[in-house]
């Protein structure tokens, strides 16, 4: 075999080997998934927040019952998120709009309330479903023919709510609280008495996270 034929055969084998190597590289290379760049990050509930709320305080579960008062106030808290779970704490102050509660021979009015609440729930991305419980301090005043010496009285609350997150750190919530205040002292013309009082609060609110 002549030298020129050998050179041609060698060049052909080298080109074939190079083509096979290039084909192998093409078959093993995978382009990145474009959807990974388009997928938004999961909504984060962790961190501090503050906000305001408004609603109705009523002596009965029916918010349209007589004796109800319009309520409004502010809240601030902090959430910890572990996977889909949320744990948090919140401080709340409310004006209760003179919600009237029955006592022997008369009524008393709820004026103001402070609450320290614990919160736990589950998130579904931008939706949070939670339960809450805590301690309250409620300011009572006597009604017609009724006086009260209780002033600020400690109580308890339980409840729950749903909160929806939006962009820019904003979220909106609807929450229900059942509040129990025991041994509220009142005095009427018939004498002194102590009454366990119960009320229902339904409120909507806005929070801002930072």
């Amino acid at each position: 075999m002549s030298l020129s034929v050998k050179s041609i055969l060698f060049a052909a084998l080298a080109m074939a080997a190079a083509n096979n190597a290039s084909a192998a590289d093409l078959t093993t290379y995978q382009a990145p998934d474009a959807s990974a760049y388009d997928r938004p990050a999961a909504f984060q509930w962790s961190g501090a927040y503050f906000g305001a709320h408004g609603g109705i305080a009523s002596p009965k579960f029916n918010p349209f019952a007589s004796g109800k008062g319009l309520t409004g106030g502010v809240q601030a808290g902090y959430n910890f998120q572990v996977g889909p779970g949320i744990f948090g704490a919140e401080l709340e102050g409310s004006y209760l709009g003179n919600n009237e509660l029955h006592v022997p021979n008369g009524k008393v009015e709820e004026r103001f309330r402070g609450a320290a609440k614990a919160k736990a729930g589950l998130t579904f991305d931008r939706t949070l479903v939670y339960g809450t419980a805590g301690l309250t301090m409620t300011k009572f005043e006597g009604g017609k023919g009724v006086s009260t010496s209780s002033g600020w009285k400690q109580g308890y609350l339980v409840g729950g709510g749903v909160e929806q997150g939006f962009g820019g750190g904003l979220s909106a919530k609807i929450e229900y609280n059942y509040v129990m205040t025991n041994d509220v002292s009142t005095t009427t013309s018939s004498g002194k008495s102590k009454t366990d009082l119960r009320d229902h609060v339904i409120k909507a609110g806005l929070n801002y996270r930072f």
Side-chain angles (χ1 to χ4, degrees):
M1 184 180 293
S2 66
L3 181 60
S4 60
V5 173
K6 289 182 179 180
S7 298
I8 293 172
L9 288 176
F10 180 78
L13 290 173
M15 292 180 62
N19 288 335
N20 288 336
S22 298
D25 290 341
L26 289 174
T27 56
T28 57
Y29 174 75
Q30 292 183 347
D33 184 4
S35 63
Y37 296 104
D38 299 333
R39 190 179 302 118
F43 189 83
Q44 291 296 314
W45 291 92
S46 296
Y49 64 89
F50 69 90
H53 62 268
I56 294 176
S58 174
K60 298 181 180 179
F61 184 73
N62 178 6
F64 302 104
S66 60
K68 65 183 179 296
L70 296 178
T71 179
V74 295
Q75 68 273 350
Y78 197 97
N79 288 331
F80 299 90
Q81 183 167 357
V82 182
I86 288 289
F87 305 91
E90 183 176 285
L91 295 176
E92 179 184 87
S94 303
Y95 169 69
L96 297 173
N98 301 341
N99 176 33
E100 294 181 334
L101 302 176
H102 287 278
V103 296
N105 301 309
K107 297 178 181 178
V108 295
E109 297 177 346
E110 293 180 320
R111 299 301 301 274
F112 302 97
R113 175 173 292 143
K117 304 187 292 183
K119 182 167 61 175
L122 287 175
T123 64
F124 303 89
D125 192 22
R126 291 177 177 265
T127 302
L128 168 62
V129 180
Y130 64 91
T132 186
L135 300 176
T136 62
M137 291 293 293
T138 304
K139 178 68 166 62
F140 293 94
E141 292 187 0
K144 185 177 181 180
V146 179
S147 63
T148 175
S149 59
S150 293
W152 289 92
K153 186 70 175 176
Q154 180 180 317
Y156 309 89
L157 70 77
V158 293
V162 178
E163 190 165 354
Q164 182 68 34
F166 304 103
L170 289 176
S171 61
K173 70 174 184 177
I174 297 177
E175 183 176 312
Y176 165 77
N177 293 154
Y178 177 64
V179 184
M180 302 157 280
T181 309
N182 297 330
D183 296 331
V184 178
S185 300
T186 56
T187 302
T188 67
S189 58
S190 300
K192 296 182 179 180
S193 62
K194 290 186 176 182
T195 308
D196 295 341
L197 299 179
R198 307 287 184 262
D199 69 284
H200 307 264
V201 182
I202 300 174
K203 54 197 168 187
L206 291 174
N207 285 324
Y208 175 73
R209 282 171 175 74
F210 56 93

